[in-house]
Amino acid sequence: MNAQQFQALCIKPDSTLRDALARLDATARGILMVVGEDGALLRTLTDGDLRRARLQQMDDQQSVDQLPAQAPITVNESEPAPAVLALMDEHQIDHVPVLDGAGRPVDIVFRRELTQRVWLSSPHLGEEETAFVEEAFRTNWIAPLGPHVDAFERELAAHVGVAHGAALSSGTAAIHLGLLLLGVQPGDTVFCSSLTFVGSCNPILYCGARPVFIDSEPQSWNMSPAALERALEWALRENRLPRCIVLVNLYGQSADMDALVPICERYGVPILEDAAESLGASYKGRASGAFGRLAVYSFNGNKIITTSGGGMLVSDDGDLVARARKLSTQAREPARHYEHVEVGFNYRMSNVLAGIGRGQLRVLEQRVHQRRAVFERYQQAFADFPQLQWMPEPAGMRSTRWLSCFTLSGPDAGRQCEFIMTFLERHSVEARPVWKPMHLQPLFSGAPYFSHQAGDDVSARLFAAGICLPSGSNLSQEQQERVMALLRRALTLSETPHATA
Ligand SMILES: *Cc1c(COP(=O)(O)O)cnc(C)c1O
């Protein structure tokens, strides 16, 4: 609902019953708000109220304030969607006006919205997954390992142009094994992008290693080459060069590999590419995930394709990937009995889930197109809001737009973002802040951090003023229209100084 449509739901107390009825018909929301001179809500007016007035033989020319008084059921601006829905259930109503501190209606919530939540990024199955899963059942390959696992590894590796892949239980497990394969040991230093999901760096702690966080650059939101260079100079001076660098490709977009890879090569530090969010993206024609000595994909439920949960470690180095497979199945030695000489893990993907992955891989390109189309619709719809800046896509990079993200500019951007997200949440639309950088997390307090430039903490800025919008490949046009209308209203309302939602 836009601002005009909202205003059309508000009528004055001296309006006639006839006018109110006409307005109810025209707006077709089943409710009007009667608003006094001072802007405060006096009562609501529903079809039922007018029907009862008719039955009581009230004249059409009487004003609505002649109707029997009735205290309206309302909520305040901070009420979350589940509480609003509970209130609707309790009073058996389908709409609730939202009042500001002065009792003025500033918004209205409808039951239909609350029961049709719009997710940030929800699983989207294709047509072939069921057939693969049924095949797994029919052939009794329910145990971990099996033909789908091998095929999924081959097919995914071929798709991204890397020689080998090991299918694992999660992206996080893949990063953990990747670190171990690159020789990370307790006390070692590992560099990692700061602007990321914690799954990128929790495994650094599993290894007993010490993370050092690197800021983003404004152009790609990914690792800043300038910050990386300074961090490596520092590490060399301190004699603690990192064992490897976890280089994250954020929100479906590759990092600037032409700038970053030569720096890492100069210091002889291998890259573990975290492409969990960027499967299907490319950098100068080469697949995201094809740049690191090892790279990781995730098939968690919210990623661009999913196996409900899963991950893949890929590399051109067949020995490394073979070792990953061994470590992921309890590191069993070749022998008839169970022989073990090193620590292993239960990190392998099951044959059933690999079947889902094979079906999903077949629609990956479609999913990329769909996510990009969602992004483009947002971008076009908000072209008239110059204070809203979309995550840039530098020349030569093809993002999947896994999530559609923007930042707001201006001194008040942080408060506006809070307002907007609270507003959307009230209407059961899931929006999220940009990742909270790892160097700001209590878990990693004390870890060294290198910002893009002295005095310019880019990832902290993106977090403070950035929002991710619903971006799923199965987001319908109708749902997106709803999100955009709400966002437009929230943006406009948030520009009122001191507006808090
Ligand atoms: C999702 C994600 C992971 C972890 O993947 P899981 O499969 O959920 O364990 C790691 N890094 C990034 C950047 C991610 O977005």
Side-chain angles (χ1 to χ4, degrees):
M1 194 181 351
N2 63 32
Q4 263 170 352
Q5 289 164 331
F6 179 73
Q7 277 313 318
L9 297 181
C10 299
I11 59 164
K12 297 205 181 95
D14 59 1
S15 310
T16 63
L17 293 180
R18 171 193 293 263
D19 289 346
L21 195 59
R23 187 79 73 87
L24 257 180
D25 278 346
T27 50
R29 299 275 183 167
I31 186 171
L32 295 177
M33 292 172 280
V34 181
V35 176
E37 282 289 304
D38 56 354
L41 179 73
L42 300 173
R43 61 167 299 153
T44 60
L45 206 54
T46 63
D47 289 317
D49 292 326
L50 292 175
R51 204 161 3 95
R52 277 186 291 277
R54 279 252 163 95
L55 287 173
Q56 289 158 12
Q57 317 279 314
M58 276 179 79
D59 189 317
D60 265 2
Q61 292 304 325
Q62 278 189 278
S63 59
V64 295
D65 57 2
Q66 300 298 307
L67 288 169
Q70 203 179 53
I73 294 152
T74 63
V75 291
N76 66 37
E77 290 174 271
S78 58
E79 207 75 69
V84 178
L85 190 58
L87 190 73
M88 287 181 184
D89 288 342
E90 186 190 334
H91 296 278
Q92 300 190 324
I93 50 178
D94 296 327
H95 19 56
V96 176
V98 181
L99 304 187
D100 68 8
R104 294 174 298 219
V106 288
D107 197 7
I108 182 162
V109 184
F110 295 94
R111 176 183 291 274
R112 197 165 37 85
E113 306 174 287
L114 301 188
T115 51
Q116 296 173 6
R117 186 165 172 78
V118 179
W119 300 98
L120 190 71
S121 175
S122 69
H124 185 183
L125 288 184
E127 316 227 304
E128 299 190 57
E129 289 83 350
T130 325
F132 285 119
V133 171
E134 275 170 4
E135 186 185 320
F137 275 76
R138 199 176 58 246
T139 54
N140 206 28
W141 280 106
I142 304 298
L145 300 190
H148 284 329
V149 175
D150 301 337
F152 186 38
E153 289 175 347
R154 269 197 319 275
E155 289 163 5
L156 185 118
H159 191 95
V160 296
V162 176
H164 307 279
L168 302 170
S169 53
S170 71
T172 308
I175 293 173
H176 186 197
L177 290 187
L179 294 174
L180 294 172
L181 292 170
L182 295 174
V184 174
Q185 287 172 13
D188 278 353
T189 295
V190 174
F191 284 9
C192 183
S193 309
S194 187
L195 189 61
T196 188
F197 173 61
V198 72
S200 300
C201 45
N202 263 335
I204 299 174
L205 301 184
Y206 304 166
C207 295
R210 295 185 293 173
V212 171
F213 293 107
I214 314 293
D215 197 7
S216 299
E217 54 162 8
Q219 296 92 313
S220 67
W221 293 19
N222 279 311
M223 190 180 279
S224 155
L228 175 64
E229 184 92 58
R230 286 209 321 286
L232 283 165
E233 282 165 12
W234 162 84
L236 187 64
R237 273 199 315 274
E238 298 282 311
N239 196 26
R240 55 179 285 199
L241 274 179
R243 187 70 64 183
C244 70
I245 294 178
V246 180
L247 177 50
V248 180
N249 303 307
L250 206 65
Y251 295 136
Q253 178 159 283
S254 173
D256 185 0
M257 294 302 177
D258 278 355
L260 294 163
V261 172
I263 299 173
C264 297
E265 280 173 351
R266 220 167 344 106
Y267 285 85
V269 182
I271 293 172
L272 172 55
E273 205 183 342
D274 181 351
E277 300 177 5
S278 66
L279 176 61
S282 65
Y283 180 86
K284 301 195 174 168
R286 205 164 137 201
S288 184
F291 291 84
R293 183 142 153 64
L294 289 162
V296 165
Y297 298 108
S298 164
F299 312 112
N300 189 25
N302 61 356
K303 298 295 178 357
I304 193 155
I305 60 170
T306 181
T307 57
S308 83
M312 183 94 69
L313 188 69
V314 299
S315 176
D316 281 329
D317 185 331
D319 293 340
L320 278 182
V321 174
R323 240 183 94 56
R325 293 197 190 105
K326 178 184 173 192
L327 291 179
S328 71
T329 48
Q330 309 285 19
R332 190 179 166 195
E333 300 298 325
R336 173 174 293 152
H337 63 277
Y338 281 79
E339 179 78 8
H340 301 280
V341 294
E342 61 184 331
V343 179
F345 304 86
N346 184 2
Y347 277 174
R348 201 78 164 114
M349 180 182 283
S350 85
N351 194 52
V352 175
L353 297 190
I356 301 176
R358 293 184 72 192
Q360 285 272 282
L361 189 58
R362 300 195 178 184
V363 291
L364 172 59
E365 287 313 308
Q366 242 172 290
R367 299 292 178 259
V368 173
H369 281 289
Q370 287 156 333
R371 296 232 180 207
R372 286 185 64 90
V374 166
F375 176 82
E376 278 154 25
R377 283 199 290 273
Y378 280 130
Q379 197 178 32
Q380 276 163 19
F382 291 92
D384 56 334
F385 279 86
Q387 70 276 37
L388 188 156
Q389 281 121 23
W390 297 100
M391 179 179 181
E393 185 183 43
M397 300 194 199
R398 187 167 191 271
S399 171
T400 65
R401 297 294 184 182
W402 172 58
L403 294 186
S404 291
C405 319
F406 66 88
T407 53
L408 286 183
S409 55
D412 214 15
R415 182 198 54 80
Q416 281 184 270
C417 286
E418 283 295 318
F419 179 93
I420 290 165
M421 286 184 282
T422 307
F423 188 92
L424 294 177
E425 187 54 48
R426 189 192 304 134
H427 293 273
S428 213
V429 169
E430 186 185 18
R432 296 269 166 201
V434 163
W435 294 127
K436 180 175 181 178
M438 293 302 125
H439 74 280
L440 300 179
Q441 300 285 359
L443 175 62
F444 297 110
S445 67
Y449 173 64
F450 289 84
S451 62
H452 177 54
Q453 287 167 357
D456 187 11
D457 191 337
V458 174
S459 59
R461 266 200 287 130
L462 293 172
F463 167 60
I467 294 181
C468 308
L469 292 173
S471 310
S473 46
N474 51 1
L475 185 73
S476 70
Q477 293 236 12
E478 188 199 345
Q479 284 177 314
Q480 193 173 0
E481 294 295 338
R482 192 177 124 203
V483 174
M484 293 192 298
L486 289 167
L487 177 59
R488 184 167 280 273
R489 223 155 82 68
L491 269 165
T492 309
L493 288 171
S494 77
E495 279 164 3
T496 315
H498 313 302
T500 51

